[in-house]
Amino acid sequence: MAASEGGFVWYELMTSDVSAAAAFYAKVAGWSMAYSQIPGMDYTLAKVGKRQVAGLMGFPPAIKNKQPMWFGYILVADVDDMAKRVRDAGGTVHREPTDIPNVGRFAVVADPQGAMFMLFRGSGEPAPELAADAPGTVGWRELHTTDWEEALAFYQDLFAWEISMAKDMGPMGVYQTFSVAGAWTGGMMKGGGSPYPHWLYYINVDDIDAAAMRVAEAGGQVQHGPHEVPGGNWIVMGKDPQGAEFALTGSRQT
C-alpha cells in the first residue's frame, strides 16, 4: 500500500561527516549504503534490502547552525499551497518550495514552536510502504516541544492527524499520541529533555539490547534505555558520533 498524504515518507540526516555517519547507522540499523548523484550535492542513500528508507547529506553552505540532525518529510498534495498554509498557521518557511530533478518538490518548514520538517511531493508514484515494524524502518515519530497542545492543533489542521491515546506521565506531563489515516504513527510531549523543539525518529530493530550494544561499539552514546514502553516494546535514545539525536525501538530477546 502506498503512503498516505499527511504521513511521513522519508527521513534525512544532515551531518558534519557523512561517511562516518553512514558507517555508524549501517552497523546500528543494518542499513546498506549507496552513493547517489543528485545534481549539486553529495547524497548517500540508506536501504533496507532494495528499498530506500533514508538519506544522509552534509551541510549546505547557507546553513549557519551546523548541528547534526534528523529531519522527516511529510507527503502533501501541493507543496506550494501547504507552505503557504504553514506560514498562515504561524509556522515558518525556511526554504521556499524547490524542485529536485527527477525526484519531486519539497520545502523546509517549521511549526510555530520551531520544530523543523519537510513538505514533499514526489514526481512519480510513491513506493509501496514496508511493514510498520520492519527492522531498519522508522517505526515511531516523537515531537519534543514547548506546547504540544498548540503543536497538535497545527498538525491536525494541516495534515488531518487524528488524536489517539494520551498517557499521563506524572511530573513529565501528558504524552499524546496521534494517528495518520487510521495508523498509529507517533506522539508528542512537552520538553522531552531537549533544549529546543524537534522531531525524534525511532528506528525499528530486532533486539533492543543487541542494538544498544552496537550503538556503543560504533562510537555513539546511549542516553536512555533500554526502557519498556506501553505495548510491550523497548526503546533506546541516543546520539550518533557526530551528535545527532536518534532512537531505537524493538523487542527484548533475553
Side-chain angles (χ1 to χ4, degrees):
M1 185 172 66
S4 300
E5 288 182 7
F8 288 86
V9 293
W10 188 250
Y11 305 90
E12 192 169 82
L13 175 65
M14 197 173 292
T15 186
S16 55
D17 190 331
V18 174
S19 295
F24 173 81
Y25 288 101
K27 181 167 186 176
V28 172
W31 291 339
S32 60
M33 300 291 179
Y35 177 74
S36 177
Q37 293 185 331
I38 295 178
M41 70 171 67
D42 292 336
Y43 202 81
T44 297
L45 292 168
K47 298 182 178 181
V48 174
K50 295 182 179 181
R51 177 71 155 81
Q52 299 171 4
V53 294
L56 293 75
M57 62 179 289
F59 292 104
I63 297 294
K64 295 181 180 179
N65 178 21
K66 292 180 169 54
Q67 168 61 46
M69 186 179 299
W70 279 99
F71 298 94
Y73 283 63
I74 297 176
L75 181 65
V76 298
D78 186 323
V79 172
D80 296 73
D81 176 68
M82 190 59 74
K84 180 181 183 301
R85 290 182 60 190
V86 165
R87 187 181 280 117
D88 290 345
T92 304
V93 177
H94 289 286
R95 180 166 181 173
E96 296 293 338
T98 305
D99 287 326
I100 307 171
N102 303 315
V103 175
R105 190 165 177 80
F106 81 106
V108 182
V109 301
D111 64 27
Q113 288 71 43
M116 294 177 64
F117 60 97
M118 317 295 196
L119 304 171
F120 178 73
R121 186 70 191 181
S123 57
E125 287 297 315
E129 288 284 274
L130 294 171
D133 60 351
T137 62
V138 171
W140 194 251
R141 305 117 195 114
E142 188 172 85
L143 178 62
H144 295 182
T145 187
T146 55
D147 187 336
W148 70 259
E149 293 98 332
E150 184 177 323
L152 179 60
F154 169 85
Y155 289 103
Q156 279 187 293
D157 180 57
L158 265 59
F159 307 119
W161 289 358
E162 304 142 9
I163 297 175
S164 296
M165 178 189 74
K167 181 174 176 58
D168 187 344
M169 300 188 297
M172 295 180 66
V174 172
Y175 188 88
Q176 177 64 60
T177 67
F178 64 90
S179 300
V180 177
W184 208 26
T185 299
M188 49 186 69
M189 63 186 293
K190 184 176 180 179
S194 302
Y196 53 89
H198 73 286
W199 283 94
L200 179 69
Y201 302 100
Y202 287 70
I203 303 167
N204 291 318
V205 295
D206 278 330
D207 184 329
I208 197 69
D209 294 292
M213 290 182 62
R214 294 196 299 270
V215 170
E217 291 168 356
Q221 303 173 41
V222 173
Q223 297 182 302
H224 178 74
H227 175 75
E228 190 173 15
V229 294
N233 262 16
W234 293 71
I235 63 169
V236 162
M237 296 180 182
K239 283 189 176 182
D240 68 23
Q242 289 70 50
E245 295 185 21
F246 69 98
L248 306 172
T249 179
S251 60
R252 179 165 251 176
Q253 303 296 327
T254 57

